[in-house]
Amino acid sequence: MPKDSSGHLIGGLHTPRLAVPASIPRPYYVDVKDFDESGHGDLYNEEEIERIRAVSQIAAETLDILTAEVRPGVTTDHLDRVAHEYMVDHGAYPSDLGYRGFPKSVCTSVNEVICHGIPDNTVLEDGDIVNIDVTAFKDGMHGDTNRTYLVGDVRQEVRDLVDRTREATLRGIRAARPGRQVSVIGRAIESYAKRFGYGVIREYTGHGVGREFHSGLIIPHYDDPERFTDVIEENMVFTVEPMLTLGGATWKTWPDDWTVATADGSWTAQFEHTIVVRADGPEILTASPAGLD
């Protein structure tokens, strides 16, 4: 895969944007330069939650089918095409496509890329990891999820990072209960990550999702009760999506203005679910139908 003189990944070549049939409704923001997503609220009635659940399951199914596609020799562009075709075939619009100029249907973040990697002609190699972030839009709602995949024979240190990032995500989700501040989610994640000396990315967070791709609600992955004081309520919908690293928590943005990578080149993993908070605790709307989370 493309690398610079220091051995760090660099961007590859992009193929043309994939088409979406005109019969599939688009989110209002597609190819719109300036828009405001905030102010629409994060609480939902049961009919709305069912619509979020339905589109969240399309997103989760997309990740499931990608499991068979992630292997050495495959390009991230191929993964994008498979995901795009699955969403479109199920009547959903790929939420990423045309969002603030993003040119592809999913994000593919390899090795030291934290998030927002643009699919291109980068070829996955044995021992890599890749996070694929899928958001689907249908019936006026978005469902957002991501998963980190192992590519071939991955070294144990990285396997542990991936497994523990999945566990950190679930711990954060389990902490989400009505009446608690959202900071409790970050406390559960950070306290677990610190046991292994992992870096916890702070600037990229979970968010409210449903009517909007990003509602303005911030779900932190670290503990800061003085800053994050929003109180979790019953029937609130948002994502939990921690990014943990084998090194530091500082980052840099590539010249494409999208791809975010660790500043020290350390590898990073992420998992994400869309959840709804019920009276007795959280419900994962993007749970894998095949149990592949």
Side-chain angles (χ1 to χ4, degrees):
M1 63 182 66
K3 296 180 180 179
D4 62 20
S5 58
S6 62
H8 294 163
L9 296 179
I10 56 176
L13 300 175
H14 298 157
T15 55
R17 175 170 165 169
L18 297 173
V20 177
S23 59
I24 295 178
R26 280 109 167 105
Y28 68 87
Y29 58 69
V30 173
D31 296 328
V32 174
K33 184 176 181 180
D34 295 311
F35 56 89
D36 181 9
E37 295 179 270
S38 64
H40 298 278
D42 298 290
L43 300 178
Y44 294 84
N45 62 38
E46 289 304 321
E47 185 274 334
E48 292 169 326
I49 290 169
E50 285 307 308
R51 282 192 278 146
I52 300 173
R53 186 196 313 281
V55 73
S56 291
Q57 283 299 288
I58 293 174
E61 290 162 8
T62 303
L63 290 182
D64 282 352
I65 66 160
L66 286 168
T67 301
E69 303 294 328
V70 176
R71 58 186 182 276
V74 165
T75 66
T76 54
D77 190 69
H78 169 76
L79 301 176
D80 178 74
R81 180 175 293 277
V82 171
H84 176 96
E85 291 177 353
Y86 189 86
M87 284 185 274
V88 167
D89 287 347
H90 288 77
Y93 186 92
S95 301
D96 287 349
L97 192 62
Y99 178 80
R100 301 191 185 277
F102 194 80
K104 292 292 183 175
S105 297
V106 301
C107 299
T108 52
S109 302
V110 179
N111 298 348
E112 71 259 32
V113 175
I114 298 167
C115 58
H116 304 162
I118 302 174
D120 56 22
N121 68 338
T122 295
V123 177
L124 298 178
E125 299 176 356
D126 186 62
D128 287 339
I129 57 175
V130 58
N131 177 274
I132 306 177
D133 195 329
V134 173
T135 310
F137 174 81
K138 188 175 182 180
D139 294 332
M141 297 293 179
H142 299 270
D144 190 3
T145 184
N146 74 51
R147 192 180 303 169
T148 299
Y149 299 80
L150 306 178
V151 184
D153 185 15
V154 177
R155 68 184 190 272
Q156 190 61 50
E157 178 187 37
V158 176
R159 286 177 175 269
D160 289 342
L161 172 69
V162 172
D163 288 342
R164 290 164 180 168
T165 304
R166 181 189 293 108
E167 175 62 21
T169 306
L170 296 175
R171 288 183 180 225
I173 290 170
R174 288 195 293 268
R177 292 181 175 272
R180 294 179 173 179
Q181 290 185 354
V182 295
S183 59
V184 73
I185 298 171
R187 185 177 311 140
I189 291 167
E190 186 175 44
S191 63
Y192 179 73
K194 280 185 172 181
R195 289 167 50 182
F196 310 102
Y198 294 151
V200 180
I201 301 299
R202 293 186 165 219
E203 291 80 3
Y204 293 91
T205 68
H207 53 88
V209 67
R211 304 178 189 97
E212 302 291 343
F213 195 168
H214 304 90
S215 73
L217 174 68
I218 295 175
I219 305 299
H221 303 130
Y222 61 98
D223 188 15
D224 190 344
E226 299 301 319
R227 180 181 176 192
F228 298 107
T229 58
D230 287 305
V231 176
I232 300 168
E233 300 180 56
E234 187 177 348
N235 287 5
M236 183 178 278
V237 177
F238 53 81
T239 73
V240 177
E241 49 182 300
M243 291 144 266
L244 307 185
T245 81
L246 288 175
T250 56
W251 50 272
K252 59 184 179 181
T253 303
W254 287 8
D256 62 25
D257 291 329
W258 277 106
T259 307
V260 179
T262 57
D264 59 8
S266 60
W267 284 24
T268 176
Q270 182 186 18
F271 286 83
E272 174 186 22
H273 280 298
T274 294
I275 71 169
V276 58
V277 180
R278 300 299 198 174
D280 58 353
E283 177 187 354
I284 298 176
L285 299 177
T286 48
S288 163
L292 299 177
D293 295 303

